[in-house]
Amino acid sequence: MGKKCIVIFLTGDDAQTYDGKPLMLQDVLFCPVLNWCMRAWMEKGIGRFFVVCHPEHYDQVAACFPAGAVAAVGDPDSYEEELAEFAKGCWIEEVREALLPVGSMMLSFRTVQELIRLQQAVKEDIAAFHLATRVNVLDPDHTYIDPRVTIGAGTTILPGTILRGETVIGENCEIGPNAMLIDCQVGDGCVINASQCYESTMGQGVHVGPYAHIRPHCQVGDGCKVGAFVEIKNAVLGAGTKLSHLTYVGDADVGERVNFGCGTITSNYDGFQKYRTVIEDDVFIGCNTNLVPPVTVGSGAYIAAGTTVTKDVEPDSLAIGRVRQENKAGWAKTRRNMHKK
């Protein structure tokens, strides 16, 4: 790994690009070409890279370095001295054209349009790789998988699925149709149906969707259900907890085996600051409940449907916070008569 250093120059692009970035920083299947190349070179035993680019691209270049790579960035006006120190004792290979690994070859390209044409070939390569590792990519033409994604054997990827970033999916899952995951960790045996998940972790046997939204920084425990039209954000859900439909839980710590009735929300934001809700194990929350934090619901408690919870609920108690129903006889008929209907 230390006998060869590849020096990549990103300063000679004459091509017109749609965002002003060098060609090697353009994305192919959500991953910069530079990252594709470095990963391909590392598979061949090369792990030392020096990238020469304008300072405005330093951060974008650094974000492309794969795990395990030894890499540095230099300015085109002063890189020689830094490179001499960085690559001391290594044989230096210079790369001055834009390249993309396709199969076992590194193909050059000069425009974004050429790169788009190459994208189809690498898309097929990725699908073939996963198929060879016993992943069932049902419709490769309508599935988009980032090269950094890891998928376990026995998992089925249904059409319309988009997998991005450092997503890791376990074995025997079903992802899709029409699901998008970005930088997520998904345990074995999960189902994610027509939903979007971002920067979150799901345990084993989790069922998500359809039409659920898991926003960043969520931890969903084993056997949880995040059902239809449910949104969670910055929340921890204990094992076996169920949010079956039409629920929002944000900034919350939820225990195990909690049941959320539909229409439940945590009112976590007061316009200036966000607060956390704590719900302990085995709580039953009735439909149309508002939880106004900071508030704690003790283990085993029940919350009656239609309740707004503004103070702590003791364990094993029943919380009721609603106006008592009153029926006014004949009111509807009188109203119709007033409007002559």
Side-chain angles (χ1 to χ4, degrees):
M1 295 283 282
K3 298 298 183 182
K4 185 176 182 180
C5 177
I6 293 183
V7 182
I8 306 162
F9 291 85
L10 305 186
T11 55
D13 289 333
D14 296 324
Q16 295 295 315
T17 63
Y18 57 84
D19 55 8
K21 292 190 296 189
L23 289 174
M24 290 282 275
L25 292 180
Q26 302 296 320
D27 282 347
V28 171
L29 293 178
F30 322 110
C31 183
V33 173
L34 180 61
N35 184 275
W36 283 81
C37 289
M38 288 183 168
R39 291 162 61 91
W41 281 316
M42 290 181 72
E43 289 176 2
K44 297 179 180 180
I46 302 166
R48 201 168 187 85
F49 307 98
F50 193 95
V51 183
V52 181
C53 66
H54 294 297
E56 64 186 288
H57 300 306
Y58 277 7
D59 290 343
Q60 296 171 66
V61 167
C64 294
F65 297 157
V70 179
V73 186
D75 186 288
D77 297 325
S78 58
Y79 74 89
E80 290 91 346
E81 186 175 340
E82 296 175 18
L83 175 60
E85 181 65 27
F86 180 80
K88 187 180 294 183
C90 295
W91 175 47
I92 294 176
E93 177 182 335
E94 294 187 355
V95 174
R96 293 182 177 270
E97 60 181 343
L99 301 173
L100 178 69
V102 179
S104 59
M105 300 181 293
M106 298 288 268
L107 300 184
S108 64
F109 60 96
R110 294 179 177 83
T111 66
V112 171
Q113 289 72 23
E114 290 180 10
L115 178 61
I116 291 171
R117 287 193 288 271
L118 288 175
Q119 178 172 262
Q120 182 60 30
V122 295
K123 184 171 177 286
E124 292 170 0
D125 282 351
I126 290 175
F129 168 79
H130 288 296
L131 287 166
T133 57
R134 297 196 298 118
V135 175
N136 183 16
V137 183
L138 201 62
D139 185 356
D141 286 341
H142 298 93
T143 303
Y144 300 85
I145 304 176
D146 190 309
R148 296 165 290 187
V149 170
T150 301
I151 308 174
T155 288
T156 297
I157 307 298
L158 297 174
T161 294
I162 300 171
L163 304 176
R164 299 178 54 178
E166 302 288 346
T167 292
V168 177
I169 298 171
E171 298 182 351
N172 302 311
C173 297
E174 183 176 285
I175 311 297
N178 304 320
M180 181 164 71
L181 280 67
I182 302 179
D183 293 324
C184 288
Q185 310 292 312
V186 180
D188 296 342
C190 292
V191 175
I192 300 177
N193 174 17
S195 298
Q196 297 192 5
C197 309
Y198 301 86
E199 300 172 33
S200 293
T201 300
M202 281 146 272
Q204 298 187 10
V206 172
H207 194 293
V208 178
Y211 315 120
H213 186 190
I214 297 181
R215 291 167 57 187
H217 313 305
C218 291
Q219 298 178 40
V220 181
D222 295 347
C224 285
K225 181 177 182 180
V226 181
F229 302 104
V230 170
E231 180 176 350
I232 61 175
K233 187 271 293 186
N234 192 25
V236 178
L237 305 183
T241 285
K242 291 179 169 54
L243 304 83
S244 293
H245 37 216
L246 298 167
T247 293
Y248 169 71
V249 173
D251 300 300
D253 298 298
V254 181
E256 299 182 354
R257 300 173 300 279
V258 174
N259 186 86
F260 286 81
C262 68
T264 296
I265 67 166
T266 57
S267 305
N268 54 314
Y269 184 50
D270 67 357
F272 300 95
Q273 188 172 342
K274 294 184 179 180
Y275 301 89
R276 290 194 77 80
T277 298
V278 177
I279 302 171
E280 296 179 353
D281 297 343
D282 300 304
V283 169
F284 184 93
I285 301 174
C287 297
N288 296 318
T289 291
N290 301 307
L291 296 152
V292 184
V295 69
T296 297
V297 181
S299 61
Y302 267 62
I303 300 177
T307 293
T308 296
V309 178
T310 57
K311 61 182 181 179
D312 292 350
V313 179
E314 296 81 4
D316 297 317
S317 61
L318 170 65
I320 304 175
R322 62 191 183 206
V323 176
R324 187 177 297 276
Q325 180 176 329
E326 180 181 353
N327 296 337
K328 295 183 179 291
W331 182 92
K333 183 177 180 181
T334 301
R335 184 174 183 275
R336 286 194 298 271
N337 291 336
M338 286 175 58
H339 291 277
K340 299 182 180 179
K341 291 186 179 180

